[in-house]
């Protein structure tokens, strides 16, 4: 009789009515997380350093026992900042590796190309390595952006220059990509808000290297502010082209050009260049023990100092880990989304604006700081972040 009861109980537990439905990328002891990013292309200084920080955090979490009893298996694929390679990499991560979520995917056009299929398969896109608005708009329960968008940054920075510095003859030089168009949209909308018009505009390919003719056109247009929808290499090349002409004009970039590589160009070429950024770069000489500890761990692991992209990676990874913890042991997609949406007023170690989410808001923050290059380093123009 006892054996019959035990057998019946065992069969009941094994039946579909009682078995938990499997969740993609989640087992009893593992969570599979994937990233495609630039490890060897024109933005590799962003992709490599950013994904390094995600791996550093995940490794530390695993060493401490994991999240709710599970270790993280982190898979990174090189997209070389190319759309076709991104689609190929995402297909592998989603269909072969079966990732639970994708994080820190690199590049605006790359994310835009991949996301429709990715989201349709129930794989969340978390804190991609781009500040484009399409990373969190329109609202989708599987899309999360970490900080202010390029659009937010440019509108806030442009408002500062027109109202505080009296700049009225605004021109735009941007990549002819989804990223560049997002920057240009911010320029146009803020100028319209202030009843101003765009004086001049140029578009270029991410691989272009000669900007002398484009700079000459902007000079002839009488610009008193150049807004750059550029990343690192093309930002330096445009700034260099402007300096060679002897033209004294303010230039404003955004987070993609807020990088030590831009600040430390030999000869002081980039001195006086401005950028907006969702968080301030904190060097390994920071007074914060947490920042110094991060820099030390990063250097020990990768043999280099962390750059700004590495900082973004650390904050993104820490917030993602918190969301996974909030989701509890019975991890599901909806549970992860709920875990993210429950995060309120999170403060990272770098003094960034508070990060919060809700069911109606999947952008962590829309404030940003204005910085300028001085003596080969980025310096905050003011301590408080700007909005518009």
């Amino acid at each position: 009789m006892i054996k019959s009861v035990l057998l019946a109980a065992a069969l009941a537990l094994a039946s579909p009515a009682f078995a938990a439905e499997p969740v993609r990328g989640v087992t009893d002891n593992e969570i599979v997380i994937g990233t495609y990013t630039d490890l060897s292309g024109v933005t590799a200084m962003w992709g490599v350093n950013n994904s390094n920080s995600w791996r550093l955090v995940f490794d530390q979490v695993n060493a401490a026992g994991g999240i709710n009893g599970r270790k993280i298996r982190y898979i990174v694929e090189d997209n070389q900042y190319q759309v076709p390679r991104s689609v190929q990499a995402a297909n592998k991560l989603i269909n072969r590796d079966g990732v639970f979520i994708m994080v820190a995917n690199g590049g605006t056009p790359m994310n835009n190309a991949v996301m429709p299929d990715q989201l349709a398969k129930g794989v969340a896109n978390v804190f991609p390595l781009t500040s484009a608005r399409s990373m969190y708009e329109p609202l989708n329960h599987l899309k999360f952006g970490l900080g202010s968008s390029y659009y937010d940054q440019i509108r806030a920075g442009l408002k500062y220059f027109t109202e505080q510095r009296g700049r009225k003859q605004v021109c735009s030089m941007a990549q002819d990509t989804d990223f560049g168009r997002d920057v240009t949209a911010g320029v146009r909308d803020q100028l319209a808000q202030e009843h101003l018009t765009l004086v001049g505009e140029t578009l270029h390919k991410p691989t272009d290297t000669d900007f002398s003719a484009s700079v000459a056109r902007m000079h002839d247009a009488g610009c008193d502010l150049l807004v750059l929808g550029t990343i690192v290499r093309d930002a330096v090349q445009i700034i260099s082209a402007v300096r060679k002409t002897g033209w004294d004009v303010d230039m404003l970039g955004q987070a993609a050009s807020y990088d030590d590589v831009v600040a430390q160009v030999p000869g002081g070429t980039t001195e006086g260049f401005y950028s907006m950024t969702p968080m301030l770069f904190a060097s390994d000489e920071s007074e914060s023990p947490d920042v110094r500890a991060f820099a030390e761990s990063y250097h020990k692991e990768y043999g280099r100092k962390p750059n700004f992209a590495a900082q973004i990676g650390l904050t993104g990874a820490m917030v993602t880990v918190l969301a996974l913890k909030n989701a509890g042991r019975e991890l599901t997609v909806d549970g992860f989304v709920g875990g993210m949406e429950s995060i309120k007023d999170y403060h990272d170690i770098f003094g960034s604006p508070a990060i919060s989410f809700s069911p109606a808001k999947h952008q962590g923050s829309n404030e940003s700081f204005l910085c300028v290059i001085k003596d080969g380093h980025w310096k905050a123009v003011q301590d408080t972040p700007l909005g518009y």
Side-chain angles (χ1 to χ4, degrees), residues 229-312:
T230 55
I231 304 182
V232 172
R233 187 173 66 180
D234 52 344
V236 172
Q237 290 166 337
I238 289 176
I239 296 167
S240 298
V242 169
R243 301 300 189 220
K244 286 178 181 178
T245 68
W247 183 19
D248 184 17
V249 62
D250 285 328
M251 290 175 278
L252 173 66
Q254 27 53 52
S257 55
Y258 180 73
D259 191 280
D260 273 352
V261 173
V262 177
Q264 297 170 5
V265 174
T269 298
T270 56
E271 286 286 299
F273 174 64
Y274 294 88
S275 270
M276 301 296 297
T277 172
M279 70 169 63
L280 294 172
F281 177 69
S283 73
D284 56 353
E285 299 175 356
S286 169
E287 296 180 359
S288 166
D290 290 335
V291 173
R292 293 199 304 272
F294 161 62
E296 182 179 342
S297 296
Y298 189 96
H299 185 270
K300 181 179 179 180
E301 185 68 25
Y302 303 114
R304 67 176 78 180
K305 293 182 179 181
N307 67 359
F308 178 60
Q311 281 190 197
I312 296 173

Side-chain angles (χ1 to χ4, degrees), residues 152-309:
D152 294 331
Q153 295 162 24
I154 287 302
R155 288 201 63 171
L158 187 50
K159 180 180 180 181
Y160 173 87
F161 272 92
T162 57
E163 294 184 356
Q164 304 297 322
R165 300 287 181 92
R167 301 296 183 258
K168 304 297 181 185
Q169 304 298 309
V170 179
C171 293
S172 170
M173 300 183 70
Q175 289 188 8
D176 190 11
T177 62
D178 291 344
F179 152 69
R181 284 184 282 275
D182 216 33
V183 173
T184 303
V187 174
R188 292 184 179 279
D189 287 354
Q190 188 59 35
L191 289 177
Q193 179 71 28
E194 301 184 28
H195 306 291
L196 297 172
T197 57
L198 189 63
V199 174
E201 178 181 9
T202 67
L203 297 172
H204 63 270
K205 297 177 182 178
T207 53
D208 286 351
T209 58
D210 184 359
F211 295 94
S212 55
S214 297
V215 167
R217 289 202 302 274
M218 296 301 94
H219 178 273
D220 292 343
C223 311
D224 59 15
L225 176 66
L226 283 180
V227 179
L228 304 187
T230 55
I231 304 182
V232 172
R233 187 173 66 180
D234 52 344
V236 172
Q237 290 166 337
I238 289 176
I239 296 167
S240 298
V242 169
R243 301 300 189 220
K244 286 178 181 178
T245 68
W247 183 19
D248 184 17
V249 62
D250 285 328
M251 290 175 278
L252 173 66
Q254 27 53 52
S257 55
Y258 180 73
D259 191 280
D260 273 352
V261 173
V262 177
Q264 297 170 5
V265 174
T269 298
T270 56
E271 286 286 299
F273 174 64
Y274 294 88
S275 270
M276 301 296 297
T277 172
M279 70 169 63
L280 294 172
F281 177 69
S283 73
D284 56 353
E285 299 175 356
S286 169
E287 296 180 359
S288 166
D290 290 335
V291 173
R292 293 199 304 272
F294 161 62
E296 182 179 342
S297 296
Y298 189 96
H299 185 270
K300 181 179 179 180
E301 185 68 25
Y302 303 114
R304 67 176 78 180
K305 293 182 179 181
N307 67 359
F308 178 60

Side-chain angles (χ1 to χ4, degrees), residues 36 94 102 105 114-126:
Y36 62 80
I94 295 170
M102 293 175 72
N105 291 329
V114 168
M115 271 198 293
D117 183 62
Q118 174 187 338
L119 301 181
K121 292 184 177 179
V123 180
N125 201 46
V126 181

